[in-house]
Amino acid sequence: MIDASASSFERDVIEASRSMPVLVDFWAPWCGPCRILGPLLERLELAYAGRLRVVKINSDQEPGLAAQFAVRSIPYVVAFVDGQPVDSFVGVLPERELRTFVDRLLPNPAEIERRKAARLQATGDTSGAAHALRAALVLEPNHDATRWALAQLLIDAGGSAALAEAASVLGGASKAGQGEARHRALALALSSRQRAADLPAADALAARVAADGSDLPARLELAQWHVGRREFDAALDQLLAIAALDRSFGDDVGRRTALAVFDLMADQPAAVGAWRRRLASVLNR
């Protein structure tokens, strides 16, 4: 249990709550019930052994924080998870009710592995992140979002073994999940990486397109070559050209593939917006 202030709130509460639930106890020295709740919270923190943090804030000394969280009566406890206040209570709860309150905040084992994977990926440890996602998938095999996260790591890693595992991971998605845009985008990325080794060299494909702009198979293969290397702008140039030249080619493969590429570019909303406008212009000619 630690004492926090306005200057340490970001570190002690917001950032800490990204790795475990944090209970913020607003109290004051003159408050009798606060002296009862404080030791209960401290015992709870010890009992949860590193899975919970308790932070005390003196509401008299930190009126700004008390006002920010609309503290009208103390003790007042606010629970934070992933940087956000998610629950609260006023007064003193019996220890059993306190445990019930905390248990609702704790992530399940699979979620713990997913959070571990996110932290490892942020530090560049993609192998460790993949291992954590595999563990999460064992715990929750029907969690499609975990499958997509693992498949993305494996596709980015490349190599025959990683791509084969990615195909297996995606193949295990639920029927509903297979209809999701994220799944379709990853399936496109996977097939593009798998086909990359069998496609002609990009220079040869570009030469075919330069010699005959209506060579739609060459344009499609060139787009797939670029998608496999995450060169999305170059891929979309070819896909929009296909859509402009012949919507019937490959059952409108230019438009359909472009939409899947937009999903792969979800972290580039401005670029996606610009490309969507260009696609709309092509389709509405």
PDB file of all heavy atoms in Angstrom, residues 9 24 26-27 57 59 62-78 80 85 87-91:
ATOM      1  N   PHE A   9       0.120  10.489  -9.484  1.00  0.00           N
ATOM      2  CA  PHE A   9      -1.099   9.738  -9.821  1.00  0.00           C
ATOM      3  C   PHE A   9      -0.950   8.984 -11.140  1.00  0.00           C
ATOM      4  O   PHE A   9      -1.347   7.817 -11.243  1.00  0.00           O
ATOM      5  CB  PHE A   9      -2.289  10.694  -9.885  1.00  0.00           C
ATOM      6  CG  PHE A   9      -3.620   9.998  -9.975  1.00  0.00           C
ATOM      7  CD1 PHE A   9      -4.264   9.547  -8.837  1.00  0.00           C
ATOM      8  CD2 PHE A   9      -4.231   9.787 -11.200  1.00  0.00           C
ATOM      9  CE1 PHE A   9      -5.492   8.903  -8.910  1.00  0.00           C
ATOM     10  CE2 PHE A   9      -5.454   9.150 -11.290  1.00  0.00           C
ATOM     11  CZ  PHE A   9      -6.083   8.700 -10.135  1.00  0.00           C
ATOM     12  N   VAL A  24      -7.938   2.760  -5.469  1.00  0.00           N
ATOM     13  CA  VAL A  24      -7.566   4.068  -4.926  1.00  0.00           C
ATOM     14  C   VAL A  24      -8.499   4.376  -3.757  1.00  0.00           C
ATOM     15  O   VAL A  24      -9.715   4.506  -3.939  1.00  0.00           O
ATOM     16  CB  VAL A  24      -7.661   5.170  -5.997  1.00  0.00           C
ATOM     17  CG1 VAL A  24      -7.328   6.525  -5.394  1.00  0.00           C
ATOM     18  CG2 VAL A  24      -6.723   4.857  -7.149  1.00  0.00           C
ATOM     19  N   PHE A  26      -9.659   6.933  -1.172  1.00  0.00           N
ATOM     20  CA  PHE A  26      -9.714   8.322  -0.717  1.00  0.00           C
ATOM     21  C   PHE A  26     -10.091   8.313   0.768  1.00  0.00           C
ATOM     22  O   PHE A  26     -11.132   7.770   1.151  1.00  0.00           O
ATOM     23  CB  PHE A  26     -10.751   9.106  -1.524  1.00  0.00           C
ATOM     24  CG  PHE A  26     -10.312   9.427  -2.926  1.00  0.00           C
ATOM     25  CD1 PHE A  26     -10.648   8.590  -3.981  1.00  0.00           C
ATOM     26  CD2 PHE A  26      -9.558  10.559  -3.191  1.00  0.00           C
ATOM     27  CE1 PHE A  26     -10.252   8.879  -5.278  1.00  0.00           C
ATOM     28  CE2 PHE A  26      -9.150  10.865  -4.483  1.00  0.00           C
ATOM     29  CZ  PHE A  26      -9.496  10.018  -5.530  1.00  0.00           C
ATOM     30  N   TRP A  27      -9.268   8.952   1.592  1.00  0.00           N
ATOM     31  CA  TRP A  27      -9.455   8.911   3.038  1.00  0.00           C
ATOM     32  C   TRP A  27      -9.032  10.248   3.639  1.00  0.00           C
ATOM     33  O   TRP A  27      -8.581  11.162   2.936  1.00  0.00           O
ATOM     34  CB  TRP A  27      -8.622   7.775   3.646  1.00  0.00           C
ATOM     35  CG  TRP A  27      -7.141   8.087   3.621  1.00  0.00           C
ATOM     36  CD1 TRP A  27      -6.322   8.152   2.532  1.00  0.00           C
ATOM     37  CD2 TRP A  27      -6.343   8.439   4.746  1.00  0.00           C
ATOM     38  NE1 TRP A  27      -5.054   8.512   2.893  1.00  0.00           N
ATOM     39  CE2 TRP A  27      -5.036   8.688   4.255  1.00  0.00           C
ATOM     40  CE3 TRP A  27      -6.597   8.560   6.116  1.00  0.00           C
ATOM     41  CZ2 TRP A  27      -3.986   9.061   5.095  1.00  0.00           C
ATOM     42  CZ3 TRP A  27      -5.539   8.921   6.942  1.00  0.00           C
ATOM     43  CH2 TRP A  27      -4.259   9.171   6.430  1.00  0.00           C
ATOM     44  N   ILE A  57      -5.045   8.017  -1.008  1.00  0.00           N
ATOM     45  CA  ILE A  57      -4.973   9.448  -1.317  1.00  0.00           C
ATOM     46  C   ILE A  57      -5.702  10.214  -0.213  1.00  0.00           C
ATOM     47  O   ILE A  57      -6.894   9.979   0.034  1.00  0.00           O
ATOM     48  CB  ILE A  57      -5.608   9.763  -2.686  1.00  0.00           C
ATOM     49  CG1 ILE A  57      -4.766   9.132  -3.805  1.00  0.00           C
ATOM     50  CG2 ILE A  57      -5.719  11.272  -2.887  1.00  0.00           C
ATOM     51  CD1 ILE A  57      -5.319   9.370  -5.191  1.00  0.00           C
ATOM     52  N   SER A  59      -7.686  12.930   0.929  1.00  0.00           N
ATOM     53  CA  SER A  59      -8.568  13.856   0.209  1.00  0.00           C
ATOM     54  C   SER A  59      -8.432  15.292   0.705  1.00  0.00           C
ATOM     55  O   SER A  59      -8.731  16.227  -0.048  1.00  0.00           O
ATOM     56  CB  SER A  59     -10.022  13.386   0.305  1.00  0.00           C
ATOM     57  OG  SER A  59     -10.422  13.273   1.657  1.00  0.00           O
ATOM     58  N   GLU A  62      -5.263  16.458  -1.127  1.00  0.00           N
ATOM     59  CA  GLU A  62      -5.378  16.421  -2.588  1.00  0.00           C
ATOM     60  C   GLU A  62      -6.809  16.758  -3.019  1.00  0.00           C
ATOM     61  O   GLU A  62      -7.526  15.931  -3.589  1.00  0.00           O
ATOM     62  CB  GLU A  62      -4.983  15.034  -3.118  1.00  0.00           C
ATOM     63  CG  GLU A  62      -3.565  14.617  -2.812  1.00  0.00           C
ATOM     64  CD  GLU A  62      -2.536  15.477  -3.539  1.00  0.00           C
ATOM     65  OE1 GLU A  62      -2.903  16.108  -4.549  1.00  0.00           O
ATOM     66  OE2 GLU A  62      -1.369  15.501  -3.110  1.00  0.00           O
ATOM     67  N   PRO A  63      -7.252  18.013  -2.748  1.00  0.00           N
ATOM     68  CA  PRO A  63      -8.640  18.367  -3.085  1.00  0.00           C
ATOM     69  C   PRO A  63      -8.907  18.318  -4.592  1.00  0.00           C
ATOM     70  O   PRO A  63     -10.046  18.084  -5.009  1.00  0.00           O
ATOM     71  CB  PRO A  63      -8.781  19.788  -2.529  1.00  0.00           C
ATOM     72  CG  PRO A  63      -7.372  20.314  -2.470  1.00  0.00           C
ATOM     73  CD  PRO A  63      -6.517  19.143  -2.139  1.00  0.00           C
ATOM     74  N   GLY A  64      -7.870  18.543  -5.398  1.00  0.00           N
ATOM     75  CA  GLY A  64      -8.069  18.485  -6.843  1.00  0.00           C
ATOM     76  C   GLY A  64      -8.451  17.103  -7.308  1.00  0.00           C
ATOM     77  O   GLY A  64      -9.390  16.933  -8.108  1.00  0.00           O
ATOM     78  N   LEU A  65      -7.738  16.090  -6.807  1.00  0.00           N
ATOM     79  CA  LEU A  65      -8.077  14.715  -7.170  1.00  0.00           C
ATOM     80  C   LEU A  65      -9.442  14.325  -6.611  1.00  0.00           C
ATOM     81  O   LEU A  65     -10.228  13.645  -7.280  1.00  0.00           O
ATOM     82  CB  LEU A  65      -7.009  13.756  -6.644  1.00  0.00           C
ATOM     83  CG  LEU A  65      -5.668  13.745  -7.378  1.00  0.00           C
ATOM     84  CD1 LEU A  65      -4.679  12.829  -6.672  1.00  0.00           C
ATOM     85  CD2 LEU A  65      -5.857  13.291  -8.831  1.00  0.00           C
ATOM     86  N   ALA A  66      -9.729  14.775  -5.384  1.00  0.00           N
ATOM     87  CA  ALA A  66     -11.030  14.465  -4.795  1.00  0.00           C
ATOM     88  C   ALA A  66     -12.158  15.057  -5.635  1.00  0.00           C
ATOM     89  O   ALA A  66     -13.195  14.415  -5.857  1.00  0.00           O
ATOM     90  CB  ALA A  66     -11.086  14.990  -3.368  1.00  0.00           C
ATOM     91  N   ALA A  67     -11.948  16.264  -6.135  1.00  0.00           N
ATOM     92  CA  ALA A  67     -12.968  16.899  -6.980  1.00  0.00           C
ATOM     93  C   ALA A  67     -13.072  16.194  -8.323  1.00  0.00           C
ATOM     94  O   ALA A  67     -14.179  16.011  -8.857  1.00  0.00           O
ATOM     95  CB  ALA A  67     -12.629  18.378  -7.174  1.00  0.00           C
ATOM     96  N   GLN A  68     -11.933  15.798  -8.867  1.00  0.00           N
ATOM     97  CA  GLN A  68     -11.926  15.125 -10.168  1.00  0.00           C
ATOM     98  C   GLN A  68     -12.761  13.858 -10.151  1.00  0.00           C
ATOM     99  O   GLN A  68     -13.446  13.533 -11.130  1.00  0.00           O
ATOM    100  CB  GLN A  68     -10.486  14.807 -10.564  1.00  0.00           C
ATOM    101  CG  GLN A  68     -10.346  14.112 -11.915  1.00  0.00           C
ATOM    102  CD  GLN A  68      -8.893  13.831 -12.274  1.00  0.00           C
ATOM    103  OE1 GLN A  68      -7.966  14.410 -11.699  1.00  0.00           O
ATOM    104  NE2 GLN A  68      -8.692  12.937 -13.221  1.00  0.00           N
ATOM    105  N   PHE A  69     -12.727  13.149  -9.015  1.00  0.00           N
ATOM    106  CA  PHE A  69     -13.461  11.892  -8.928  1.00  0.00           C
ATOM    107  C   PHE A  69     -14.742  12.025  -8.097  1.00  0.00           C
ATOM    108  O   PHE A  69     -15.307  11.035  -7.658  1.00  0.00           O
ATOM    109  CB  PHE A  69     -12.554  10.797  -8.369  1.00  0.00           C
ATOM    110  CG  PHE A  69     -11.445  10.431  -9.323  1.00  0.00           C
ATOM    111  CD1 PHE A  69     -10.170  10.945  -9.151  1.00  0.00           C
ATOM    112  CD2 PHE A  69     -11.697   9.631 -10.420  1.00  0.00           C
ATOM    113  CE1 PHE A  69      -9.155  10.631 -10.037  1.00  0.00           C
ATOM    114  CE2 PHE A  69     -10.686   9.309 -11.313  1.00  0.00           C
ATOM    115  CZ  PHE A  69      -9.414   9.820 -11.127  1.00  0.00           C
ATOM    116  N   ALA A  70     -15.192  13.265  -7.935  1.00  0.00           N
ATOM    117  CA  ALA A  70     -16.483  13.562  -7.295  1.00  0.00           C
ATOM    118  C   ALA A  70     -16.616  12.888  -5.932  1.00  0.00           C
ATOM    119  O   ALA A  70     -17.631  12.252  -5.625  1.00  0.00           O
ATOM    120  CB  ALA A  70     -17.627  13.144  -8.215  1.00  0.00           C
ATOM    121  N   VAL A  71     -15.581  13.017  -5.123  1.00  0.00           N
ATOM    122  CA  VAL A  71     -15.600  12.422  -3.785  1.00  0.00           C
ATOM    123  C   VAL A  71     -16.479  13.279  -2.884  1.00  0.00           C
ATOM    124  O   VAL A  71     -16.159  14.430  -2.603  1.00  0.00           O
ATOM    125  CB  VAL A  71     -14.172  12.314  -3.211  1.00  0.00           C
ATOM    126  CG1 VAL A  71     -14.226  11.737  -1.792  1.00  0.00           C
ATOM    127  CG2 VAL A  71     -13.304  11.440  -4.113  1.00  0.00           C
ATOM    128  N   ARG A  72     -17.591  12.724  -2.425  1.00  0.00           N
ATOM    129  CA  ARG A  72     -18.507  13.456  -1.548  1.00  0.00           C
ATOM    130  C   ARG A  72     -18.554  12.869  -0.146  1.00  0.00           C
ATOM    131  O   ARG A  72     -18.963  13.529   0.798  1.00  0.00           O
ATOM    132  CB  ARG A  72     -19.917  13.461  -2.161  1.00  0.00           C
ATOM    133  CG  ARG A  72     -20.000  14.244  -3.472  1.00  0.00           C
ATOM    134  CD  ARG A  72     -21.424  14.263  -4.009  1.00  0.00           C
ATOM    135  NE  ARG A  72     -21.521  15.058  -5.224  1.00  0.00           N
ATOM    136  CZ  ARG A  72     -21.258  14.609  -6.440  1.00  0.00           C
ATOM    137  NH1 ARG A  72     -20.891  13.355  -6.610  1.00  0.00           N
ATOM    138  NH2 ARG A  72     -21.362  15.414  -7.494  1.00  0.00           N
ATOM    139  N   SER A  73     -18.169  11.618  -0.037  1.00  0.00           N
ATOM    140  CA  SER A  73     -18.153  10.954   1.263  1.00  0.00           C
ATOM    141  C   SER A  73     -16.984   9.980   1.279  1.00  0.00           C
ATOM    142  O   SER A  73     -16.657   9.380   0.244  1.00  0.00           O
ATOM    143  CB  SER A  73     -19.468  10.212   1.486  1.00  0.00           C
ATOM    144  OG  SER A  73     -19.478   9.554   2.740  1.00  0.00           O
ATOM    145  N   ILE A  74     -16.335   9.851   2.436  1.00  0.00           N
ATOM    146  CA  ILE A  74     -15.205   8.938   2.544  1.00  0.00           C
ATOM    147  C   ILE A  74     -15.433   7.959   3.695  1.00  0.00           C
ATOM    148  O   ILE A  74     -16.204   8.273   4.614  1.00  0.00           O
ATOM    149  CB  ILE A  74     -13.869   9.712   2.722  1.00  0.00           C
ATOM    150  CG1 ILE A  74     -13.936  10.654   3.932  1.00  0.00           C
ATOM    151  CG2 ILE A  74     -13.496  10.445   1.459  1.00  0.00           C
ATOM    152  CD1 ILE A  74     -12.631  11.358   4.248  1.00  0.00           C
ATOM    153  N   PRO A  75     -14.800   6.800   3.608  1.00  0.00           N
ATOM    154  CA  PRO A  75     -13.879   6.346   2.568  1.00  0.00           C
ATOM    155  C   PRO A  75     -14.601   6.094   1.248  1.00  0.00           C
ATOM    156  O   PRO A  75     -15.738   5.618   1.229  1.00  0.00           O
ATOM    157  CB  PRO A  75     -13.305   5.046   3.135  1.00  0.00           C
ATOM    158  CG  PRO A  75     -14.373   4.551   4.071  1.00  0.00           C
ATOM    159  CD  PRO A  75     -14.990   5.781   4.661  1.00  0.00           C
ATOM    160  N   TYR A  76     -13.892   6.409   0.188  1.00  0.00           N
ATOM    161  CA  TYR A  76     -14.407   6.225  -1.172  1.00  0.00           C
ATOM    162  C   TYR A  76     -13.317   5.516  -1.966  1.00  0.00           C
ATOM    163  O   TYR A  76     -12.198   6.016  -2.061  1.00  0.00           O
ATOM    164  CB  TYR A  76     -14.754   7.578  -1.792  1.00  0.00           C
ATOM    165  CG  TYR A  76     -15.288   7.512  -3.209  1.00  0.00           C
ATOM    166  CD1 TYR A  76     -16.415   6.753  -3.506  1.00  0.00           C
ATOM    167  CD2 TYR A  76     -14.693   8.236  -4.236  1.00  0.00           C
ATOM    168  CE1 TYR A  76     -16.925   6.716  -4.794  1.00  0.00           C
ATOM    169  CE2 TYR A  76     -15.191   8.209  -5.525  1.00  0.00           C
ATOM    170  CZ  TYR A  76     -16.311   7.442  -5.799  1.00  0.00           C
ATOM    171  OH  TYR A  76     -16.823   7.402  -7.066  1.00  0.00           O
ATOM    172  N   VAL A  77     -13.626   4.360  -2.514  1.00  0.00           N
ATOM    173  CA  VAL A  77     -12.640   3.552  -3.230  1.00  0.00           C
ATOM    174  C   VAL A  77     -13.010   3.490  -4.713  1.00  0.00           C
ATOM    175  O   VAL A  77     -14.155   3.158  -5.059  1.00  0.00           O
ATOM    176  CB  VAL A  77     -12.551   2.129  -2.639  1.00  0.00           C
ATOM    177  CG1 VAL A  77     -11.617   1.251  -3.480  1.00  0.00           C
ATOM    178  CG2 VAL A  77     -12.075   2.193  -1.194  1.00  0.00           C
ATOM    179  N   VAL A  78     -12.042   3.822  -5.547  1.00  0.00           N
ATOM    180  CA  VAL A  78     -12.226   3.761  -7.002  1.00  0.00           C
ATOM    181  C   VAL A  78     -11.279   2.703  -7.553  1.00  0.00           C
ATOM    182  O   VAL A  78     -10.082   2.715  -7.250  1.00  0.00           O
ATOM    183  CB  VAL A  78     -11.940   5.118  -7.664  1.00  0.00           C
ATOM    184  CG1 VAL A  78     -12.221   5.035  -9.171  1.00  0.00           C
ATOM    185  CG2 VAL A  78     -12.762   6.220  -7.026  1.00  0.00           C
ATOM    186  N   PHE A  80      -9.306   0.982 -10.708  1.00  0.00           N
ATOM    187  CA  PHE A  80      -8.782   1.294 -12.037  1.00  0.00           C
ATOM    188  C   PHE A  80      -8.265   0.016 -12.699  1.00  0.00           C
ATOM    189  O   PHE A  80      -7.577  -0.790 -12.074  1.00  0.00           O
ATOM    190  CB  PHE A  80      -7.622   2.287 -11.936  1.00  0.00           C
ATOM    191  CG  PHE A  80      -8.047   3.699 -11.670  1.00  0.00           C
ATOM    192  CD1 PHE A  80      -8.420   4.087 -10.392  1.00  0.00           C
ATOM    193  CD2 PHE A  80      -8.073   4.642 -12.686  1.00  0.00           C
ATOM    194  CE1 PHE A  80      -8.817   5.391 -10.125  1.00  0.00           C
ATOM    195  CE2 PHE A  80      -8.480   5.951 -12.432  1.00  0.00           C
ATOM    196  CZ  PHE A  80      -8.846   6.327 -11.151  1.00  0.00           C
ATOM    197  N   PRO A  85     -11.023   4.289 -14.668  1.00  0.00           N
ATOM    198  CA  PRO A  85     -11.848   3.925 -13.502  1.00  0.00           C
ATOM    199  C   PRO A  85     -13.008   3.049 -13.966  1.00  0.00           C
ATOM    200  O   PRO A  85     -13.729   3.405 -14.906  1.00  0.00           O
ATOM    201  CB  PRO A  85     -12.338   5.276 -12.975  1.00  0.00           C
ATOM    202  CG  PRO A  85     -12.289   6.194 -14.169  1.00  0.00           C
ATOM    203  CD  PRO A  85     -11.158   5.716 -15.025  1.00  0.00           C
ATOM    204  N   ASP A  87     -14.983   0.918 -11.473  1.00  0.00           N
ATOM    205  CA  ASP A  87     -15.959   0.595 -10.434  1.00  0.00           C
ATOM    206  C   ASP A  87     -15.592   1.391  -9.183  1.00  0.00           C
ATOM    207  O   ASP A  87     -14.494   1.946  -9.092  1.00  0.00           O
ATOM    208  CB  ASP A  87     -15.960  -0.900 -10.132  1.00  0.00           C
ATOM    209  CG  ASP A  87     -17.307  -1.391  -9.590  1.00  0.00           C
ATOM    210  OD1 ASP A  87     -18.136  -0.527  -9.226  1.00  0.00           O
ATOM    211  OD2 ASP A  87     -17.511  -2.610  -9.525  1.00  0.00           O
ATOM    212  N   SER A  88     -16.522   1.439  -8.221  1.00  0.00           N
ATOM    213  CA  SER A  88     -16.243   2.190  -6.993  1.00  0.00           C
ATOM    214  C   SER A  88     -17.220   1.762  -5.904  1.00  0.00           C
ATOM    215  O   SER A  88     -18.238   1.116  -6.186  1.00  0.00           O
ATOM    216  CB  SER A  88     -16.368   3.699  -7.233  1.00  0.00           C
ATOM    217  OG  SER A  88     -17.701   4.038  -7.586  1.00  0.00           O
ATOM    218  N   PHE A  89     -16.911   2.132  -4.675  1.00  0.00           N
ATOM    219  CA  PHE A  89     -17.854   1.958  -3.570  1.00  0.00           C
ATOM    220  C   PHE A  89     -17.544   2.976  -2.484  1.00  0.00           C
ATOM    221  O   PHE A  89     -16.428   3.515  -2.416  1.00  0.00           O
ATOM    222  CB  PHE A  89     -17.833   0.530  -3.006  1.00  0.00           C
ATOM    223  CG  PHE A  89     -16.564   0.130  -2.320  1.00  0.00           C
ATOM    224  CD1 PHE A  89     -16.341   0.445  -0.982  1.00  0.00           C
ATOM    225  CD2 PHE A  89     -15.599  -0.595  -2.996  1.00  0.00           C
ATOM    226  CE1 PHE A  89     -15.180   0.057  -0.330  1.00  0.00           C
ATOM    227  CE2 PHE A  89     -14.428  -0.988  -2.358  1.00  0.00           C
ATOM    228  CZ  PHE A  89     -14.218  -0.661  -1.019  1.00  0.00           C
ATOM    229  N   VAL A  90     -18.544   3.255  -1.654  1.00  0.00           N
ATOM    230  CA  VAL A  90     -18.414   4.201  -0.545  1.00  0.00           C
ATOM    231  C   VAL A  90     -18.597   3.439   0.764  1.00  0.00           C
ATOM    232  O   VAL A  90     -19.445   2.548   0.864  1.00  0.00           O
ATOM    233  CB  VAL A  90     -19.472   5.321  -0.642  1.00  0.00           C
ATOM    234  CG1 VAL A  90     -19.355   6.276   0.551  1.00  0.00           C
ATOM    235  CG2 VAL A  90     -19.322   6.092  -1.945  1.00  0.00           C
ATOM    236  N   GLY A  91     -17.789   3.797   1.761  1.00  0.00           N
ATOM    237  CA  GLY A  91     -17.946   3.205   3.078  1.00  0.00           C
ATOM    238  C   GLY A  91     -17.075   1.979   3.269  1.00  0.00           C
ATOM    239  O   GLY A  91     -16.144   1.726   2.513  1.00  0.00           O
TER     240      GLY A  91
END
